[in-house]
Amino acid sequence: MRPIHRRLAPTAAGLLLLPVALVGCGIGDDDAKEKPPAKPARAPAEEAAARSRERVQAYLDAMTAKDVAAGRSQLCAVLHDGFDLAATGPNGDFADHFQVPEAAITAIRSGPLGQEVSVSVSVTAGKRTVARPLVFTVTRQGSDWCIAGESPGGGPAANPTPTGVTPTRVS
């Protein structure tokens, strides 16, 4: 009878300690049922749109204020040299003879190279004011976001079809 008793004692002790060990591991814990699962801060698409909006808005604000350093800081490092040469030039975004009384973000969408942020910029030169559509491409580099490109945007005149013919709707 002695061999059975020696096997039964450790088994009984293990069975008594098993519920305590399982609760310590979180199995059977009632608090886990009461807590809702943690939500991520933002979905990746929302995060990309928000960061792109922030970068482009900061660039537009810098352009309005003629703050070249603030504008440069919104750009990807690859664009810095070109920006330094052209920003205050005759047709640069920060040229002295241009005033930017109004600039607004009109749309944000995903594109092949990153987030495409469409804007409308009103530019005044002398007595003439012209609204120009632009598209900024914003990408993620490491953990940071930056403007990777700027191009004219807008209607068919800015984006012609390969044949030069604008398609029309057929009834």
Side-chain angles (χ1 to χ4, degrees):
M1 235 189 188
R2 205 172 227 183
I4 294 175
H5 181 31
R6 285 186 184 173
R7 283 186 253 151
L8 190 58
T11 304
L15 289 174
L16 287 174
L17 294 176
L18 183 63
V20 174
L22 291 176
V23 169
C25 293
I27 297 175
D29 190 10
D30 290 336
D31 290 340
K33 293 177 186 174
E34 294 174 13
K35 296 178 188 175
K39 289 183 181 180
R42 290 187 194 170
E46 290 175 7
E47 176 78 12
R51 297 296 177 146
S52 297
R53 177 181 290 279
E54 290 170 8
R55 285 295 179 174
V56 171
Q57 188 60 55
Y59 186 82
L60 295 175
D61 292 345
M63 203 167 48
T64 301
K66 300 284 185 207
D67 187 346
V68 177
R72 184 181 197 269
S73 70
Q74 304 309 315
L75 303 175
C76 296
V78 173
L79 299 178
H80 286 181
D81 290 339
F83 176 81
D84 293 342
L85 293 172
T88 58
N91 293 320
D93 290 346
F94 294 82
D96 288 333
H97 60 279
F98 291 143
Q99 297 299 318
V100 182
E102 187 176 350
I105 295 172
T106 57
I108 300 174
R109 65 184 174 278
S110 291
L113 302 174
Q115 295 293 308
E116 295 178 351
V117 182
S118 299
V119 300
S120 175
V121 178
S122 294
V123 178
T124 302
K127 295 180 181 179
R128 186 173 169 207
T129 300
V130 178
R132 293 285 182 227
L134 296 172
V135 176
F136 290 94
T137 302
V138 181
T139 61
R140 186 175 190 166
Q141 289 188 338
S143 64
D144 203 10
W145 293 83
C146 59
I147 296 173
E150 174 185 344
S151 61
N159 298 320
T161 60
T163 60
V165 177
T166 305
T168 58
R169 184 180 168 141
V170 178
S171 298

